[in-house]
Coordinates of all heavy atoms in Angstrom, one line a residue:
M1 N 119.9 131.2 12.1 CA 118.9 130.3 11.6 C 118.6 130.6 10.1 O 118.4 131.8 9.8 CB 117.6 130.3 12.4 CG 116.5 129.5 12.0 SD 115.1 129.6 13.0 CE 115.2 128.1 13.8
D2 N 118.6 129.6 9.3 CA 118.3 129.8 7.9 C 116.9 129.6 7.6 O 116.1 129.0 8.4 CB 119.2 128.8 7.0 CG 120.6 129.2 7.0 OD1 121.0 130.4 7.3 OD2 121.5 128.2 6.9
S3 N 116.4 130.1 6.5 CA 115.0 129.9 6.1 C 114.7 128.5 5.8 O 113.6 128.0 5.9 CB 114.7 130.8 4.8 OG 115.5 130.4 3.8
E4 N 115.8 127.6 5.5 CA 115.5 126.3 5.3 C 115.2 125.5 6.6 O 114.6 124.5 6.7 CB 116.8 125.6 4.8 CG 117.1 126.0 3.4 CD 118.0 127.3 3.4 OE1 118.8 127.4 4.3 OE2 117.8 128.0 2.4
D5 N 115.5 126.2 7.8 CA 115.2 125.6 9.1 C 113.8 125.9 9.5 O 113.3 125.2 10.5 CB 116.2 126.2 10.2 CG 117.6 125.8 9.9 OD1 117.9 124.8 9.2 OD2 118.5 126.6 10.4
I6 N 113.1 126.7 8.8 CA 111.7 127.0 9.2 C 110.8 126.0 8.6 O 110.7 125.9 7.3 CB 111.3 128.4 8.7 CG1 112.2 129.5 9.3 CG2 109.8 128.7 9.0 CD1 112.0 130.9 8.7
D7 N 110.1 125.2 9.4 CA 109.1 124.2 8.9 C 107.7 124.7 9.0 O 107.1 124.7 10.0 CB 109.3 123.0 9.8 CG 108.5 121.8 9.2 OD1 107.7 122.0 8.3 OD2 108.6 120.7 9.8
I8 N 107.3 125.4 8.0 CA 106.0 126.1 7.9 C 104.9 125.0 8.1 O 103.9 125.3 8.8 CB 105.8 126.8 6.6 CG1 106.8 127.9 6.4 CG2 104.3 127.4 6.5 CD1 106.6 129.1 7.4
D9 N 105.0 123.9 7.6 CA 104.0 122.9 7.7 C 103.8 122.5 9.2 O 102.7 122.4 9.7 CB 104.3 121.6 6.9 CG 104.2 121.8 5.4 OD1 103.4 122.7 5.0 OD2 105.0 121.2 4.7
H10 N 104.9 122.3 9.9 CA 104.8 122.0 11.3 C 104.2 123.1 12.1 O 103.4 122.9 13.0 CB 106.3 121.6 11.8 CG 106.3 121.3 13.2 ND1 105.8 120.1 13.7 CD2 106.9 121.9 14.3 CE1 106.0 120.0 15.0 NE2 106.6 121.1 15.4
L11 N 104.6 124.3 11.8 CA 104.1 125.5 12.5 C 102.6 125.7 12.3 O 101.9 126.0 13.2 CB 104.8 126.8 12.1 CG 106.3 126.9 12.5 CD1 106.9 128.1 11.9 CD2 106.4 126.9 14.1
T12 N 102.1 125.5 11.1 CA 100.7 125.6 10.8 C 99.9 124.5 11.5 O 98.8 124.7 12.0 CB 100.4 125.6 9.3 OG1 101.0 124.4 8.7 CG2 101.0 126.8 8.6
R13 N 100.5 123.3 11.6 CA 99.8 122.2 12.3 C 99.7 122.6 13.8 O 98.6 122.4 14.5 CB 100.5 120.9 12.2 CG 100.1 120.2 10.9 CD 100.6 118.7 10.9 NE 102.0 118.5 11.2 CZ 103.0 118.7 10.4 NH1 102.7 118.9 9.1 NH2 104.3 118.5 10.7
L14 N 100.8 123.1 14.4 CA 100.8 123.5 15.8 C 99.8 124.6 16.1 O 99.1 124.6 17.1 CB 102.2 123.9 16.2 CG 103.2 122.8 16.4 CD1 104.6 123.4 16.6 CD2 102.9 121.8 17.4
A15 N 99.7 125.5 15.2 CA 98.8 126.7 15.4 C 97.4 126.5 14.8 O 96.6 127.3 14.9 CB 99.4 127.9 14.7
A16 N 97.2 125.3 14.3 CA 95.9 124.9 13.7 C 95.5 126.0 12.7 O 94.3 126.5 12.7 CB 94.8 124.8 14.8
L17 N 96.4 126.3 11.8 CA 96.1 127.3 10.7 C 96.1 126.5 9.4 O 96.8 125.6 9.1 CB 97.3 128.3 10.7 CG 97.4 129.3 11.9 CD1 98.6 130.1 11.7 CD2 96.2 130.1 12.0
R18 N 95.3 127.1 8.5 CA 95.3 126.6 7.1 C 95.6 127.8 6.2 O 95.0 128.8 6.2 CB 93.9 126.1 6.7 CG 93.8 125.3 5.5 CD 92.4 124.7 5.3 NE 92.2 123.7 6.3 CZ 91.0 123.5 6.9 NH1 90.0 124.2 6.7 NH2 90.9 122.5 7.8
L19 N 96.8 127.7 5.5 CA 97.3 128.8 4.7 C 97.3 128.4 3.2 O 97.7 127.3 2.8 CB 98.7 129.1 5.1 CG 99.0 129.5 6.5 CD1 100.4 129.8 6.8 CD2 98.2 130.8 6.9
D20 N 96.9 129.3 2.4 CA 97.0 129.1 0.9 C 98.4 129.5 0.5 O 99.2 129.9 1.3 CB 95.9 129.8 0.1 CG 96.1 131.3 0.2 OD1 97.1 131.9 0.6 OD2 95.0 132.0 0.0
G21 N 98.8 129.4 -0.7 CA 100.1 129.6 -1.2 C 100.6 131.0 -0.9 O 101.8 131.2 -0.5
D22 N 99.8 132.1 -1.2 CA 100.3 133.4 -0.9 C 100.5 133.7 0.6 O 101.4 134.3 1.0 CB 99.3 134.4 -1.5 CG 99.3 134.4 -3.0 OD1 100.3 134.0 -3.6 OD2 98.2 134.8 -3.6
E23 N 99.5 133.2 1.4 CA 99.6 133.4 2.8 C 100.8 132.7 3.4 O 101.6 133.2 4.2 CB 98.4 132.8 3.5 CG 97.1 133.7 3.3 CD 95.9 133.0 3.8 OE1 95.8 131.8 3.8 OE2 95.0 133.8 4.2
R24 N 101.1 131.5 2.9 CA 102.2 130.7 3.3 C 103.6 131.4 3.0 O 104.5 131.5 3.8 CB 102.2 129.3 2.6 CG 103.4 128.4 3.0 CD 103.3 127.1 2.1 NE 104.4 126.4 2.3 CZ 104.6 125.4 3.2 NH1 103.5 125.1 4.0 NH2 105.7 124.7 3.3
L25 N 103.6 132.0 1.8 CA 104.8 132.7 1.4 C 105.0 134.0 2.3 O 106.1 134.3 2.8 CB 104.7 133.1 0.0 CG 105.9 133.9 -0.6 CD1 107.2 133.1 -0.5 CD2 105.7 134.4 -2.0
G26 N 103.9 134.7 2.6 CA 103.9 135.8 3.4 C 104.4 135.5 4.9 O 105.2 136.2 5.5
V27 N 103.9 134.4 5.4 CA 104.3 134.0 6.7 C 105.8 133.6 6.8 O 106.5 134.0 7.7 CB 103.4 132.8 7.2 CG1 104.0 132.2 8.5 CG2 102.0 133.3 7.5
E28 N 106.2 132.9 5.7 CA 107.6 132.5 5.7 C 108.5 133.8 5.6 O 109.5 133.9 6.3 CB 107.8 131.6 4.5 CG 109.3 131.1 4.5 CD 109.4 129.9 3.5 OE1 108.5 129.6 2.8 OE2 110.6 129.4 3.5
Q29 N 108.1 134.8 4.8 CA 108.9 136.0 4.7 C 108.9 136.7 6.1 O 109.9 137.3 6.5 CB 108.4 136.9 3.6 CG 108.6 136.3 2.3 CD 107.9 137.1 1.1 OE1 107.0 137.9 1.4 NE2 108.3 136.8 -0.1
D30 N 107.7 136.8 6.7 CA 107.7 137.5 8.0 C 108.6 136.8 9.0 O 109.3 137.5 9.8 CB 106.2 137.4 8.6 CG 105.3 138.5 7.8 OD1 105.8 139.3 7.1 OD2 104.1 138.3 8.0
L31 N 108.5 135.5 9.0 CA 109.4 134.7 10.0 C 110.9 135.0 9.7 O 111.7 135.1 10.6 CB 109.0 133.3 10.0 CG 107.7 132.9 10.6 CD1 107.4 131.4 10.4 CD2 107.7 133.2 12.1
Q32 N 111.2 135.0 8.4 CA 112.6 135.3 8.1 C 113.1 136.7 8.6 O 114.2 136.8 9.1 CB 112.8 135.2 6.6 CG 112.7 133.8 6.0 CD 112.7 133.7 4.5 OE1 112.6 134.8 3.8 NE2 112.8 132.5 4.0
R33 N 112.2 137.7 8.4 CA 112.5 139.0 8.9 C 112.6 139.0 10.4 O 113.5 139.7 11.0 CB 111.5 140.0 8.4 CG 111.6 140.4 7.0 CD 110.8 141.6 6.6 NE 109.3 141.4 6.8 CZ 108.5 141.0 5.8 NH1 109.0 140.7 4.7 NH2 107.2 140.8 6.1
I34 N 111.7 138.3 11.1 CA 111.8 138.3 12.6 C 113.1 137.6 13.0 O 113.8 138.1 13.9 CB 110.6 137.5 13.1 CG1 109.3 138.4 12.9 CG2 110.8 137.2 14.6 CD1 108.0 137.6 13.2
I35 N 113.5 136.6 12.4 CA 114.7 135.8 12.8 C 115.9 136.7 12.5 O 116.8 136.8 13.3 CB 114.8 134.5 12.1 CG1 113.7 133.6 12.6 CG2 116.2 133.8 12.2 CD1 113.5 132.3 11.8
A36 N 115.9 137.4 11.4 CA 117.0 138.3 11.0 C 117.1 139.5 12.1 O 118.2 139.8 12.5 CB 116.8 138.9 9.6
L37 N 116.0 140.0 12.5 CA 116.0 141.0 13.5 C 116.6 140.5 14.9 O 117.4 141.1 15.5 CB 114.6 141.6 13.8 CG 114.5 142.6 14.8 CD1 115.3 143.9 14.5 CD2 113.0 143.0 15.1
V38 N 116.2 139.3 15.2 CA 116.7 138.7 16.5 C 118.2 138.4 16.4 O 118.9 138.7 17.3 CB 115.9 137.4 16.8 CG1 116.6 136.6 17.9 CG2 114.4 137.7 17.2
D39 N 118.6 137.9 15.2 CA 120.1 137.7 15.0 C 120.8 139.0 15.1 O 121.9 139.1 15.7 CB 120.3 137.1 13.7 CG 119.9 135.6 13.6 OD1 119.7 135.0 14.7 OD2 119.7 135.1 12.5
E40 N 120.2 140.1 14.6 CA 120.9 141.4 14.6 C 121.0 141.9 16.0 O 122.0 142.4 16.5 CB 120.1 142.4 13.7 CG 120.7 143.7 13.6 CD 119.9 144.7 12.7 OE1 119.2 144.1 11.8 OE2 120.0 145.9 12.9
M41 N 119.9 141.7 16.8 CA 119.9 142.2 18.2 C 120.9 141.4 19.1 O 121.5 141.9 19.9 CB 118.5 142.0 18.8 CG 117.5 143.1 18.2 SD 115.8 143.1 18.7 CE 115.6 141.9 19.9
Q42 N 121.0 140.1 18.8 CA 121.9 139.2 19.5 C 123.4 139.6 19.2 O 124.3 139.3 20.0 CB 121.7 137.8 19.2 CG 120.4 137.3 19.9 CD 120.2 135.8 19.6 OE1 120.6 135.3 18.6 NE2 119.4 135.2 20.4
A43 N 123.6 140.2 18.1 CA 125.0 140.6 17.7 C 125.5 141.9 18.4 O 126.7 142.1 18.5 CB 125.1 140.8 16.2
V44 N 124.6 142.6 19.1 CA 124.9 143.8 19.8 C 125.7 143.4 21.1 O 125.2 142.6 21.8 CB 123.7 144.7 20.1 CG1 124.0 145.9 20.9 CG2 123.0 145.1 18.8
G45 N 126.8 144.0 21.3 CA 127.6 143.8 22.5 C 126.9 144.4 23.7 O 126.6 145.6 23.8
T46 N 126.6 143.6 24.7 CA 126.0 144.1 25.9 C 126.8 143.9 27.2 O 126.3 143.9 28.3 CB 124.6 143.4 26.1 OG1 124.8 142.0 26.1 CG2 123.6 143.7 25.0
E47 N 128.1 143.6 27.0 CA 129.0 143.4 28.1 C 129.1 144.6 29.0 O 129.3 145.7 28.5 CB 130.4 143.0 27.5 CG 131.4 142.4 28.6 CD 130.9 141.1 29.0 OE1 130.4 140.3 28.2 OE2 131.2 140.7 30.1
G48 N 128.8 144.4 30.3 CA 128.9 145.5 31.2 C 127.7 146.4 31.3 O 127.7 147.4 32.0
V49 N 126.7 146.1 30.5 CA 125.4 146.8 30.6 C 124.5 146.2 31.6 O 124.2 145.1 31.6 CB 124.7 146.8 29.2 CG1 123.4 147.6 29.2 CG2 125.6 147.4 28.1
E50 N 124.1 147.1 32.6 CA 123.1 146.7 33.6 C 121.8 146.4 33.1 O 121.3 147.3 32.3 CB 123.1 147.7 34.7 CG 124.4 147.8 35.5 CD 124.7 146.6 36.4 OE1 123.7 146.0 36.9 OE2 125.9 146.2 36.5
P51 N 121.1 145.3 33.5 CA 119.7 145.1 33.0 C 118.8 146.2 33.6 O 119.0 146.7 34.7 CB 119.4 143.7 33.5 CG 120.6 143.3 34.3 CD 121.6 144.3 34.3
L52 N 117.8 146.5 32.9 CA 116.8 147.5 33.3 C 115.5 146.9 33.6 O 115.1 145.9 33.0 CB 116.5 148.6 32.2 CG 117.7 149.4 31.7 CD1 117.3 150.3 30.5 CD2 118.2 150.3 32.8
A53 N 114.8 147.4 34.7 CA 113.5 146.9 35.0 C 112.5 147.6 34.1 O 111.4 147.1 33.8 CB 113.1 147.2 36.4
H54 N 112.8 148.8 33.6 CA 112.0 149.6 32.7 C 112.8 150.5 31.8 O 113.8 151.0 32.3 CB 111.0 150.5 33.6 CG 109.9 151.1 32.8 ND1 110.0 152.2 32.0 CD2 108.6 150.6 32.6 CE1 108.8 152.5 31.5 NE2 108.0 151.5 31.8
P55 N 112.5 150.7 30.6 CA 113.4 151.4 29.7 C 113.4 152.9 30.0 O 114.3 153.6 29.6 CB 112.8 151.2 28.3 CG 111.4 150.8 28.5 CD 111.4 150.1 29.8
L56 N 112.4 153.4 30.7 CA 112.3 154.8 31.0 C 112.7 155.1 32.5 O 112.3 154.3 33.3 CB 110.9 155.4 30.7 CG 110.4 155.2 29.3 CD1 109.0 155.7 29.3 CD2 111.3 156.0 28.4
D57 N 113.4 156.1 32.7 CA 113.8 156.5 34.1 C 112.6 157.3 34.7 O 112.7 158.5 34.8 CB 115.1 157.3 34.1 CG 115.6 157.4 35.5 OD1 115.3 156.6 36.4 OD2 116.4 158.4 35.8
A58 N 111.6 156.6 35.2 CA 110.4 157.3 35.7 C 109.8 156.5 36.9 O 110.1 155.3 37.0 CB 109.3 157.5 34.6
T59 N 109.2 157.2 37.7 CA 108.5 156.6 38.8 C 107.0 156.9 38.7 O 106.6 157.9 38.2 CB 109.0 157.1 40.2 OG1 108.8 158.6 40.2 CG2 110.5 156.8 40.4
Q60 N 106.2 156.0 39.2 CA 104.8 156.2 39.1 C 104.3 156.8 40.4 O 104.6 156.3 41.5 CB 104.1 154.8 38.9 CG 102.7 154.9 38.7 CD 102.0 153.6 38.3 OE1 102.7 152.6 38.2 NE2 100.7 153.6 38.1
R61 N 103.5 157.9 40.2 CA 102.9 158.5 41.4 C 101.7 157.7 41.8 O 100.8 157.3 41.0 CB 102.5 159.9 41.0 CG 103.6 160.8 40.8 CD 103.1 162.2 40.3 NE 102.6 162.1 39.0 CZ 101.7 162.8 38.4 NH1 101.1 163.8 39.1 NH2 101.3 162.6 37.2
L62 N 101.7 157.3 43.1 CA 100.6 156.5 43.6 C 99.9 157.3 44.6 O 100.4 158.1 45.4 CB 101.2 155.2 44.3 CG 102.0 154.3 43.4 CD1 102.6 153.2 44.2 CD2 101.2 153.8 42.3
R63 N 98.6 157.1 44.7 CA 97.8 157.7 45.7 C 97.9 157.0 47.0 O 98.4 155.9 47.0 CB 96.3 157.7 45.3 CG 95.7 156.3 45.2 CD 94.2 156.4 44.9 NE 93.7 155.1 44.6 CZ 93.3 154.2 45.5 NH1 93.5 154.5 46.8 NH2 92.8 153.0 45.2
T64 N 97.6 157.7 48.1 CA 97.7 157.1 49.4 C 96.7 155.9 49.5 O 95.6 156.1 49.0 CB 97.6 158.1 50.5 OG1 96.3 158.7 50.3 CG2 98.6 159.2 50.4
D65 N 97.1 154.9 50.2 CA 96.2 153.8 50.4 C 95.3 154.1 51.6 O 95.6 153.8 52.7 CB 97.0 152.5 50.6 CG 96.2 151.2 50.6 OD1 95.1 151.3 50.0 OD2 96.7 150.2 51.0
E66 N 94.1 154.6 51.3 CA 93.1 154.9 52.3 C 91.8 154.2 52.0 O 91.4 154.1 50.8 CB 92.9 156.3 52.4 CG 94.1 157.2 52.8 CD 93.8 158.7 52.7 OE1 92.7 159.0 52.2 OE2 94.7 159.4 53.0
A67 N 91.2 153.7 53.0 CA 89.8 153.1 52.8 C 88.8 154.3 52.6 O 88.7 155.2 53.3 CB 89.4 152.4 54.1
T68 N 88.1 154.2 51.5 CA 87.2 155.3 51.1 C 85.7 154.8 51.2 O 84.8 155.7 51.2 CB 87.4 155.7 49.7 OG1 87.2 154.6 48.8 CG2 88.8 156.3 49.5
E69 N 85.5 153.5 51.4 CA 84.1 153.0 51.5 C 84.0 152.1 52.7 O 85.0 151.5 53.1 CB 83.7 152.3 50.2 CG 83.7 153.2 49.0 CD 83.3 152.4 47.8 OE1 82.8 151.2 47.9 OE2 83.5 152.9 46.7
R70 N 82.9 152.1 53.3 CA 82.6 151.2 54.4 C 81.7 150.1 53.9 O 80.7 150.3 53.2 CB 81.9 152.0 55.5 CG 81.7 151.2 56.8 CD 80.9 152.0 57.8 NE 80.3 151.2 58.8 CZ 79.2 150.5 58.7 NH1 78.5 150.6 57.6 NH2 78.7 149.7 59.6
V71 N 82.0 148.8 54.2 CA 81.3 147.7 53.8 C 80.2 147.5 54.8 O 80.4 147.4 56.0 CB 82.2 146.4 53.8 CG1 81.3 145.2 53.5 CG2 83.3 146.6 52.8
D72 N 78.9 147.5 54.3 CA 77.8 147.3 55.2 C 77.4 145.8 55.2 O 76.6 145.4 54.4 CB 76.6 148.1 54.7 CG 75.4 148.1 55.6 OD1 75.5 147.4 56.7 OD2 74.4 148.8 55.3
R73 N 78.1 145.1 56.0 CA 78.0 143.6 56.0 C 76.6 143.1 56.2 O 76.1 142.2 55.6 CB 78.9 143.0 57.0 CG 79.0 141.5 57.0 CD 79.8 140.9 58.1 NE 81.2 141.3 57.8 CZ 82.2 141.1 58.7 NH1 81.9 140.6 59.8 NH2 83.4 141.4 58.4
E74 N 75.9 143.8 57.2 CA 74.5 143.4 57.5 C 73.6 143.5 56.3 O 72.8 142.7 56.0 CB 74.0 144.2 58.7 CG 74.6 143.8 60.0 CD 74.1 144.6 61.1 OE1 73.0 145.2 61.0 OE2 74.8 144.6 62.2
R75 N 73.8 144.6 55.5 CA 73.0 144.8 54.3 C 73.2 143.7 53.3 O 72.3 143.2 52.7 CB 73.3 146.2 53.8 CG 72.5 146.5 52.5 CD 72.8 147.9 52.0 NE 72.6 148.0 50.7 CZ 73.3 148.7 49.8 NH1 74.4 149.4 50.2 NH2 73.1 148.7 48.5
Y76 N 74.5 143.4 53.1 CA 74.8 142.4 52.1 C 74.4 141.0 52.5 O 74.0 140.2 51.7 CB 76.3 142.4 51.7 CG 76.8 143.7 51.1 CD1 77.9 144.3 51.5 CD2 76.1 144.2 50.0 CE1 78.4 145.5 50.9 CE2 76.5 145.4 49.4 CZ 77.7 146.0 49.9 OH 78.1 147.2 49.3
Q77 N 74.4 140.7 53.7 CA 74.1 139.4 54.3 C 72.6 139.2 54.4 O 72.1 138.1 54.7 CB 74.8 139.0 55.5 CG 76.3 138.8 55.2 CD 77.1 138.4 56.4 OE1 76.7 138.5 57.6 NE2 78.2 137.8 56.2
A78 N 71.9 140.3 54.3 CA 70.4 140.2 54.6 C 69.7 139.3 53.5 O 68.8 138.7 53.8 CB 69.8 141.7 54.5
G79 N 70.3 139.3 52.3 CA 69.7 138.4 51.3 C 70.2 137.0 51.3 O 69.8 136.2 50.5
A80 N 71.2 136.7 52.1 CA 71.7 135.4 52.1 C 70.8 134.4 52.8 O 70.1 134.7 53.8 CB 73.1 135.4 52.9
P81 N 70.7 133.2 52.3 CA 69.9 132.2 53.0 C 70.2 131.9 54.5 O 69.3 131.8 55.3 CB 70.1 130.9 52.2 CG 70.7 131.3 50.9 CD 71.4 132.6 51.2
E82 N 71.5 132.0 54.8 CA 71.9 131.8 56.2 C 73.2 132.5 56.4 O 74.2 132.2 55.7 CB 71.9 130.3 56.5 CG 71.9 130.0 57.9 CD 71.8 128.5 58.2 OE1 71.5 127.7 57.3 OE2 72.0 128.1 59.4
A83 N 73.3 133.2 57.5 CA 74.5 133.9 57.9 C 74.6 134.0 59.4 O 73.6 134.1 60.0 CB 74.6 135.3 57.3
R84 N 75.8 133.9 59.9 CA 75.9 134.0 61.4 C 77.3 134.6 61.7 O 78.3 134.2 61.1 CB 75.8 132.6 62.0 CG 75.9 132.7 63.6 CD 75.6 131.4 64.2 NE 76.5 130.3 63.7 CZ 76.1 129.1 63.4 NH1 74.9 128.7 63.6 NH2 77.0 128.2 62.9
D85 N 77.4 135.5 62.6 CA 78.7 136.1 63.1 C 79.5 136.7 61.9 O 80.7 136.6 61.8 CB 79.5 135.1 63.8 CG 78.9 134.5 65.0 OD1 78.1 135.3 65.7 OD2 79.1 133.4 65.4
G86 N 78.7 137.3 60.9 CA 79.4 137.9 59.8 C 79.8 136.9 58.7 O 80.5 137.4 57.8
L87 N 79.5 135.7 58.8 CA 80.0 134.7 57.8 C 78.7 134.1 57.1 O 77.7 134.0 57.7 CB 80.7 133.5 58.5 CG 82.0 134.0 59.3 CD1 82.5 132.8 60.1 CD2 83.0 134.6 58.4
Y88 N 78.9 133.8 55.9 CA 77.9 133.0 55.1 C 77.9 131.6 55.4 O 79.0 131.0 55.4 CB 78.1 133.3 53.6 CG 77.9 134.7 53.1 CD1 79.0 135.5 53.0 CD2 76.7 135.2 52.8 CE1 78.9 136.8 52.6 CE2 76.5 136.5 52.4 CZ 77.6 137.3 52.3 OH 77.5 138.6 51.9
L89 N 76.8 131.0 55.7 CA 76.8 129.6 56.0 C 76.3 128.9 54.8 O 75.3 129.2 54.2 CB 75.9 129.3 57.2 CG 76.2 130.0 58.5 CD1 75.2 129.7 59.6 CD2 77.6 129.6 58.9
V90 N 77.0 127.8 54.4 CA 76.6 127.1 53.2 C 76.5 125.6 53.5 O 77.2 125.1 54.5 CB 77.7 127.3 52.1 CG1 77.7 128.7 51.6 CG2 79.0 126.8 52.5
P91 N 75.7 124.8 52.7 CA 75.6 123.4 53.1 C 76.9 122.7 52.8 O 77.7 123.1 51.9 CB 74.5 123.0 52.2 CG 74.2 124.1 51.2 CD 74.9 125.3 51.7
S92 N 77.2 121.7 53.5 CA 78.4 120.9 53.3 C 78.2 120.1 52.0 O 77.2 119.6 51.6 CB 78.5 119.9 54.4 OG 79.6 119.0 54.3
V93 N 79.4 120.1 51.2 CA 79.3 119.4 50.0 C 80.2 118.1 50.0 O 80.2 117.4 49.1 CB 79.9 120.3 48.8 CG1 79.0 121.5 48.6 CG2 81.3 120.8 49.1
L94 N 80.9 117.9 51.1 CA 81.6 116.7 51.3 C 81.0 115.7 52.2 O 80.5 116.1 53.3 CB 83.0 117.0 51.8 CG 83.9 118.0 51.0 CD1 85.2 118.3 51.6 CD2 84.2 117.3 49.6
S95 N 80.9 114.5 51.9 CA 80.3 113.5 52.8 C 81.4 112.6 53.3 O 82.4 112.4 52.6 CB 79.2 112.7 52.1 OG 79.8 112.0 51.0
E96 N 81.2 112.1 54.4 CA 82.3 111.2 55.0 C 82.0 109.8 54.6 O 81.0 109.3 54.2 CB 82.2 111.3 56.5 CG 82.7 112.7 57.0 CD 82.6 112.8 58.4 OE1 82.8 111.8 59.1 OE2 82.5 113.9 58.9

């Protein structure tokens, strides 16, 4: 992609940005460097290279999945306007 292909006016409209002359030039130069980097990365041969899920060969240590707290349902439902059989009762919002 050439720098002529970059439509800064279109991009600033899409991003709702207002750029002055120096900012516009800076953005255009940044985009040119980004595009050059992407082109350089695409030129690298990756034939036969297996995709990685993560760049580091590491595993995450996880703690055991154990319940550490008990939910006191009666205490939490004590402040509810209406509850029955462990469920909160709410008024119907749909009419027939």
Side-chain angles (χ1 to χ4, degrees):
M1 177 179 252
D2 292 332
S3 62
E4 294 85 35
D5 296 337
I6 300 173
D7 187 354
I8 298 294
D9 292 330
H10 181 67
L11 293 174
T12 55
R13 276 193 308 276
L14 289 175
L17 295 175
R18 194 173 291 140
L19 303 176
D20 64 21
D22 292 337
E23 291 172 326
R24 180 186 172 91
L25 181 61
V27 167
E28 188 169 2
Q29 290 171 347
D30 288 345
L31 288 173
Q32 287 172 351
R33 284 194 298 270
I34 291 169
I35 291 168
L37 176 63
V38 170
D39 288 342
E40 185 179 333
M41 290 177 7
Q42 287 180 335
V44 173
T46 58
E47 193 70 31
V49 176
E50 291 291 322
L52 299 173
H54 193 277
L56 304 176
D57 190 24
T59 58
Q60 184 174 1
R61 293 176 286 153
L62 302 174
R63 64 175 170 81
T64 57
D65 190 15
E66 297 174 354
T68 58
E69 297 178 16
R70 185 181 161 280
V71 176
D72 189 359
R73 185 182 295 171
E74 289 179 16
R75 178 176 153 218
Y76 294 133
Q77 289 185 341
E82 197 172 348
R84 183 177 52 223
D85 299 327
L87 303 173
Y88 294 94
L89 301 178
V90 296
S92 176
V93 293
L94 301 174
S95 61
E96 292 181 30

